[in-house]
Each structure stands twice: as C-alpha cells, then as structure tokens.
Amino acid sequence: MSNELEFLSHRVAVGKLSRRDFLGRAAALGVTATFANSLLGTAAFAAGPQKGGVLKAGMVGGAATDSLDPASWSSQVPYFFGRQWGEQLVQLTADGEVKPALAEEWGASDDAKVWTFKIRKGVQFHNGKEMTPADVLATMERHSDEKSKSGALGIMGGIDTIKVDGQNVVFTLKEANADLPYLLDDYHLMIQPNGGKDKPDEGIGTGPYKVTVNEAGVRLGGEKFANYWRDDRGFADQIEIIIINDATARTSALQGGQVDMINRVEPKIVELIKRVPGVTIQNVAGRGHYVFIAHCNTAPFDNNDLRLALKFALDREEMLQKILMGYGSIGNDTPINKAYPLFAEIEQRKFDPEKAAFHYKKSGHSGTVLMRTSDVAFPGAVDAAQLYQQSAAKAGITIEVKREPGDGYWSEVWNKQPFSASYWGGRPTQDQMYTTAYYSKADWNDTRFMREDFDKLLFQARSELDKEKRTAIYKSMGEMVRDEGGVITPMFNDFIDATSAKVGGWSPDGNQEMMGGYALSKCWVQA
C-alpha cells in the first residue's frame, strides 16, 4: 500500500493524476486525509517548485492604519507583505543561521566593533534603479533617526558611525557586538531607494514581488518582479493577502478555497481543522510569546508591588491548557525561552493567590484594574483575559476587561494604553529581543521598563565574548525583568498556520509565523 501511494503521489506532483483521484484512492485503502496530504506535500517538494498561478493568504493582523513604511510595521500583515517586496542585508534561516542577502559577505575586526558588509552588485529596485551601498547607508541613517519612529531604533542605537567604502558599508559600533549580523535581519531594515527618505511608504524594494495593490486593512497584492536577482523564490505569478481578522471567517475562507493559506489558527479548533479534507495544519515551536503588558511609569502600574500582585495572580498552567490547548509552553514573565542561545533556567513563577493578595495589599491600590484586549492581540486573547480575570479574583483583585475593536488596536491601544494584551514573535538573539523591547531608549519599549542598570548589563553582555559569562549576564537581566518589569508572560506559543492542498513547498520555520514571513514567496501553486 505504501509503495502504491508514493507512486500515485508522485504522479500528482508531475500532473499525471488529479488530487481528487489520489485522495479517493487513499481513502479506499483506509488512509487518513491528513497522511494522504502529507504524502502529496512530500512528493510536491521532491518534484521541485512549479511556476505560475496565484497564491492567496488570509490573515489576521491588518488595519486601515497600516503603512508600507517599514519603520512603522508593528503587526503581522505589514511585516508579512514586506517580506515579499523588500529585503535586508542578511536573512535568518529556519535553523537560526544568518546567510547573505543584499550583502554577499561580511567580516568583523578582532574586537567585534568594526563590521564591513560587501554589498551585492546587479540588484535592481522595482523602479529599475540599481541598488548601491549609498541606498544601504541611507536606509540605516533613516532608521537611526528618532523622527522616523522606527521599530529598529533600539538596535540602531548601538551603532556609532556608518560609512560607504567603495562597494562596502562599514559599521563602527559603540561597543563590541558579535550579534550585529543577526540584528540587521530586523524586518524594519528593508533596503529602499535612498533609504526611503524621499517616499518611505512607496513600497519599492528589491524583493521577488512588486506592489500592485495597497488597500490598507482590506487587501494587498503583488506581481512577480521580472528582474529579481535570485531564483529560489517568487514562483507564483501573483500573490495576494486578504485581511480577515475574524478567526471563523478566516478558517471558512481556507476551507472554501478563497485563500490558500491562513495564519493564527486558534488552538481550540486545530483538531477539527485536521479532519478537513485538503487542509493541513502547519505548526512549529519558536520564540513567540503572548503577553499582558503594564507600563512601569504609569499609575497604578508604577508600583512594583501591584505588578508582582498581577504576576502571582495569573494561572499560567490553566491558560496554557485552555487557550493554547498544549500548543506551546509555559511563560515566566520574561521574553526568553529555551529556543534562545545562551538560555539559563530561572525559577518558575507559579500561581499563588496568597502572594498576590499580599503584594496587592502592600501596593495600596484599591478598586478595579482596567485591562484592554482584542481578538487581534493573539488567538484566544479575549478568553485569556477572562481567565486572568477569574484567577485574579481568587486573590481579591478585580480586573475589568475591555474588549477593543481589532481595527486600530495596534495604533491606538498597544504601546499607548497602560495595560493591555499583546504578543511578540521573538527575535533571533537575546540581545535583539532585549534591545528592541526593554532598552530604555527603544521606541518599542512597550512596558516602559526604563532602567539604567539594565541598560548597562545589556551593553556588557554585547561585548562579552566568554559564553559562560555572557549567559550569566543574560540570566541576571531575565531575573530583573521577571521581578521588576512590566511584562506578564503566561505562555510561549507555537506558530499555527494552515494550508490548502494547492500549496507546495511549505517547510517549518520557527522564527516567525507563515514560514518566517516568507510563505508567499517560497511556496508555489501545485498543478
């Protein structure tokens, strides 16, 4: 039976047998639809990419306020679309290595303070202009400018000077940093003509697709760029992203064939979706985490006893099982888990109503605690907020849950309101995660955790080349965030996407959802 199905799956991959006939034969042999589809996927991958057609994604995470300006990207849809039309100097692989992209090679001085990146020649922007080192320099300058409000501002703060030297761009750092190539994978740092200084939201990059549709919060689209410089992506003739923030509607669109892939399948329906013919769940563990964030500089959350009370009042185990249905791991009020290099175990915080009540009384706060949430914050965020409300009540803490609309949540609630639900996709290294979200001067410091002593440890870890010493520093930083910060981390999530049988070439990538953000450009339409 196995040999017969492998033979038939290969015939489907090369267009000699219809998918329907294959699934019918598999059913007659008593094979489940899930296993049959996995055989098709393996056969299609082995047969190689197929060119042509249209690939469509249905996604949560888009809003009318979205922009094509990479500096502003803060949610899934702008980031994901940007991966299709833009590129950085480097690219992070699924196994966590950094490989060349618009920079073809790089090297560092012995003290890791001066880095030289050789810029690739012959790469065209979508407007026909050839990319030059001057465009790279201008891009880095724009994201280093506080006026840009770039999400990469915290990363760029560690750079002293940047200059062009022939075909090279030379970065001189304020302190040694062996992780600089990883930092330059930050998705805000898309190389644009003149760095985007002229028209940052024009959507012109060097990626496999050029922008043809930009209806913010509704629909985005691109067509294959004829002069793209590489041949390992950009297989479909056209791509399209349809914003479907409602989870039920998104799933229905996949089942009905309106889209070919979706992001953020809710864990509570995964087992149901697995039984749908022609649909495959694509889940992978990574560094992503769901959080409740409190501003450390805004009353009443400027009181650490109140923050500790809220941390002890959260039943993480219950939330992991009821919200993620086991598709993830327990959080510990830090952004770091075992997926990170140089991870060190920190004592796990547990649900403790008595300690929560003690710190709540000590804080002197009385009355309700207002928390904002939304369906777009993370899958199950509204249900998670209600569970939090119930567990906190056992400690005598009253959390008022306010459900906000999805459209505008990332522009009007996140990073603005003092207590809300959110998510982070994680970053390749601890330095990048802490620099992006916990460094005092980072624009995306969404908990307003601003500590000079923490910043000093961050810089110290960067320049420490001894792994054991560096690991110890990161452990101290993690303990500081856990015990004194404003992030409440119930769980680290698996990325759970889903694809139709039309999609070929999918491969797991735990860096971010949707194949690290590259699904539309690395997958293809199967015949």
Side-chain angles (χ1 to χ4, degrees):
M1 180 179 70
S2 175
N3 289 338
E4 179 182 356
L5 285 178
E6 288 179 6
F7 170 75
L8 293 175
S9 66
H10 176 72
R11 289 182 62 80
V12 175
V14 297
K16 301 294 185 180
L17 181 70
S18 73
R19 185 177 294 105
R20 176 176 294 180
D21 288 344
F22 172 80
L23 292 175
R25 180 58 181 158
L29 291 171
V31 174
T32 65
T34 299
F35 181 68
N37 276 304
S38 71
L39 284 176
L40 284 179
T42 301
F45 198 88
Q50 299 176 31
K51 297 182 179 181
V54 180
L55 270 180
K56 296 182 179 181
M59 296 188 67
V60 60
T65 53
D66 289 343
S67 169
L68 293 181
D69 178 5
S72 70
W73 296 344
S74 61
S75 59
Q76 304 98 303
V77 169
Y79 148 77
F80 181 63
F81 189 44
R83 287 288 201 204
Q84 320 315 314
W85 65 259
E87 293 175 304
Q88 309 101 299
L89 292 181
V90 301
Q91 181 188 326
L92 191 67
T93 65
D95 58 4
E97 297 297 321
V98 179
K99 72 176 186 178
L102 296 182
E104 60 184 11
E105 61 182 43
W106 57 85
S109 60
D110 291 340
D111 61 1
K113 290 185 68 174
V114 179
W115 288 80
T116 302
F117 288 77
K118 184 179 181 181
I119 307 306
R120 194 178 299 276
K121 291 183 177 181
V123 176
Q124 278 191 18
F125 287 114
H126 300 153
N127 61 5
K129 176 183 178 294
E130 184 169 335
M131 179 203 66
T132 68
D135 296 307
V136 175
L137 173 62
T139 297
M140 300 303 164
E141 288 177 341
R142 187 170 82 86
H143 289 277
S144 301
D145 186 350
E146 292 189 8
K147 294 179 182 178
S148 72
K149 298 294 183 182
S150 174
L153 192 61
I155 292 170
M156 303 306 292
I159 299 172
D160 188 20
T161 63
I162 311 172
K163 68 177 182 179
V164 171
D165 180 13
Q167 197 59 28
N168 300 322
V169 174
V170 181
F171 296 78
T172 300
L173 311 184
K174 295 175 182 177
E175 302 289 343
N177 191 345
D179 289 341
L180 181 66
Y182 287 92
L183 302 185
L184 296 181
D185 177 69
D186 187 282
Y187 58 83
H188 301 94
L189 300 177
M190 299 293 177
I191 307 303
Q192 296 176 274
N194 194 31
K197 291 181 177 180
D198 305 317
K199 297 179 180 179
D201 59 353
E202 193 172 18
I204 291 179
T206 63
Y209 292 96
K210 59 181 181 180
V211 178
T212 56
V213 179
N214 179 29
E215 300 173 18
V218 180
R219 189 168 67 100
L220 302 164
E223 66 180 16
K224 188 173 181 178
F225 180 43
N227 295 329
Y228 186 52
W229 62 278
R230 57 196 297 178
D231 59 7
D232 62 346
R233 63 195 64 190
F235 304 114
D237 290 334
Q238 298 177 52
I239 59 169
E240 185 176 356
I241 300 171
I242 302 171
I243 287 78
I244 312 175
N245 286 326
D246 180 78
T248 302
R250 196 163 60 254
T251 304
S252 297
L254 180 66
Q255 291 178 256
Q258 286 82 39
V259 299
D260 308 308
M261 58 182 73
I262 61 174
N263 70 330
R264 294 204 170 189
V265 176
E266 294 195 332
K268 64 184 178 183
I269 65 168
V270 167
E271 295 306 314
L272 179 65
I273 296 299
K274 283 182 176 179
R275 297 196 291 269
V276 176
V279 173
T280 302
I281 289 292
Q282 310 283 3
N283 69 288
V284 61
R287 305 176 187 92
H289 48 289
Y290 299 158
V291 293
F292 301 103
I293 50 176
H295 290 183
C296 297
N297 64 351
T298 304
F301 308 104
D302 55 351
N303 185 306
N304 193 45
D305 278 298
L306 179 61
R307 299 198 299 271
L308 285 171
L310 291 170
K311 292 173 182 178
F312 282 114
L314 176 64
D315 191 335
R316 293 167 181 77
E317 291 283 1
E318 179 185 42
M319 201 168 286
L320 176 65
Q321 296 306 317
K322 292 184 177 180
I323 301 301
L324 290 187
M325 310 297 289
Y327 285 94
S329 58
I330 196 165
N332 198 23
D333 300 335
T334 83
I336 306 301
N337 67 356
K338 293 180 180 179
Y340 280 90
L342 309 180
F343 171 79
E345 292 282 356
I346 298 175
E347 183 181 355
Q348 178 63 50
R349 176 165 285 138
K350 298 180 180 179
F351 176 48
D352 192 329
E354 290 186 4
K355 284 186 178 179
F358 168 79
H359 286 288
Y360 186 66
K361 182 178 180 180
K362 189 177 177 182
S363 76
H365 182 74
S366 61
T368 62
V369 176
L370 176 62
M371 179 173 68
R372 290 173 166 83
T373 187
S374 172
D375 292 321
V376 303
F378 57 80
V382 175
D383 291 340
Q386 292 169 347
L387 280 178
Y388 195 1
Q389 185 182 53
Q390 294 166 15
S391 65
K394 297 176 182 178
I397 302 171
T398 303
I399 295 179
E400 177 188 349
V401 176
K402 184 176 182 181
R403 185 173 184 171
E404 299 280 3
D407 195 22
Y409 188 79
W410 299 112
S411 59
E412 302 302 325
V413 177
W414 174 76
N415 213 11
K416 290 188 177 180
Q417 299 298 333
F419 193 34
S420 64
S422 185
Y423 82 98
W424 279 91
R427 293 295 187 271
T429 66
Q430 294 195 49
D431 177 73
Q432 188 174 4
M433 188 67 239
Y434 283 132
T435 299
T436 302
Y438 297 87
Y439 173 49
S440 295
K441 296 182 180 179
D443 194 53
W444 278 17
N445 187 331
D446 57 4
T447 59
R448 307 299 189 270
F449 179 70
M450 300 175 183
R451 293 275 297 269
E452 185 177 345
D453 52 351
F454 180 87
D455 294 348
K456 286 182 178 179
L457 287 175
L458 180 64
F459 299 148
Q460 183 182 343
R462 258 181 218 165
S463 58
E464 180 55 70
L465 301 181
D466 183 285
K467 286 189 176 181
E468 288 188 7
K469 292 180 180 178
R470 199 177 186 197
T471 300
I473 295 171
Y474 283 137
K475 181 177 181 180
S476 297
M477 293 166 65
E479 290 172 335
M480 191 180 297
V481 169
R482 183 197 61 174
D483 296 336
E484 301 173 58
V487 66
I488 302 168
T489 311
M491 49 202 169
F492 285 82
N493 59 288
D494 284 7
F495 295 118
I496 310 177
D497 307 311
T499 57
S500 73
K502 180 181 174 181
V503 177
W506 188 283
S507 60
D509 187 331
N511 289 310
Q512 289 283 353
E513 62 189 15
M514 300 291 267
M515 282 182 62
Y518 293 102
L520 283 180
S521 56
K522 288 187 175 182
C523 290
W524 57 84
V525 179
Q526 298 191 124

